[in-house]
Amino acid sequence: MVEKTLAIIKPDAIKKKHVGKIMQRIEDEGFKISGLRMLHLTKEEAKGFYIIHKEKNFYESLTDFMSSGEIVIMVLEREEAVSHWRRVMGATDPALAAPGTLRQMFGFSIERNAVHGSDSPTTAEWEINYFYKEEEQ
Ligand code: UDP
Ligand code: MG
């Protein structure tokens, strides 16, 4: 089934100029980029996006990082978009991510891991709605 997921290129990857390579990989993997925007989240917006992690010890640092610079958000469409994008990203910790995955290639640490992807179709819908009004989707 064709589905949508939300992908983010995080501030570390933007600063290191990996945007072009990551977007090329997205197209090579057969995704249609159906939404694309660069923005700089406020601390409050980052906290809202990661609200599910509010009790975690990394919440403050993660939301500082995610609001520290520009990000690129994308809506990606493909068969099994959510699980396919998770496979292309690799494990959360770049040190554990499989060779050839984006986090293994471009991630710096478990926090500064270059890219984000929704973890289920339900989360994807919530995350897309967080950034896009209904008529923009
Ligand atoms: N994160 C972190 N420390 C951790 C785990 C996660 O800083 O110990 C950050 C990391 O940037 C990760 C994000 O929090 O991508 C969300 O964590 P999650 O467990 O949802 O990982 P993901 O779904 O991004 O692989
Ligand atoms: Mg997650």
Side-chain angles (χ1 to χ4, degrees):
M1 200 181 74
V2 174
E3 60 183 23
K4 292 180 182 177
T5 193
L6 185 86
I8 301 180
I9 306 178
K10 297 186 180 184
D12 59 320
I14 307 257
K15 288 196 180 98
K16 288 190 264 175
K17 299 193 163 65
H18 293 317
V19 175
K21 284 166 283 191
I22 291 170
M23 290 182 61
Q24 183 65 59
R25 177 69 175 273
I26 285 169
E27 294 197 322
D28 290 346
E29 292 285 344
F31 289 101
K32 176 189 170 200
I33 300 173
S34 62
L36 171 68
R37 197 193 302 160
M38 178 174 258
L39 63 163
H40 190 151
L41 297 180
T42 64
K43 172 78 173 172
E44 286 311 309
E45 287 167 341
K47 285 173 85 169
F49 182 73
Y50 281 113
I51 193 75
I52 190 128
H53 293 305
K54 69 175 187 309
E55 309 297 344
K56 306 272 174 61
N57 61 358
F58 58 81
Y59 184 60
E60 271 308 311
S61 179
L62 170 64
T63 52
D64 278 346
F65 163 58
M66 288 300 289
S67 58
S68 69
E70 291 185 299
I71 61 170
V72 170
I73 62 168
M74 281 169 283
V75 178
L76 306 183
E77 258 184 80
R78 215 199 88 124
E79 289 280 322
E80 310 288 335
V82 171
S83 59
H84 192 79
W85 177 239
R86 299 275 315 177
R87 272 199 298 282
V88 173
M89 288 198 301
T92 308
D93 185 350
L96 303 176
T101 60
L102 292 172
R103 283 168 162 173
Q104 183 268 327
M105 292 193 289
F106 303 126
F108 170 73
S109 68
I110 194 166
E111 178 182 86
R112 298 171 189 232
N113 57 4
V115 283
H116 166 86
S118 313
D119 64 7
S120 71
T122 309
T123 310
E125 195 183 342
W126 185 89
E127 291 183 350
I128 291 167
N129 278 323
Y130 191 80
F131 289 117
Y132 289 92
K133 296 191 213 92
E134 194 76 52
E135 61 270 24
E136 293 174 323
Q137 291 180 29

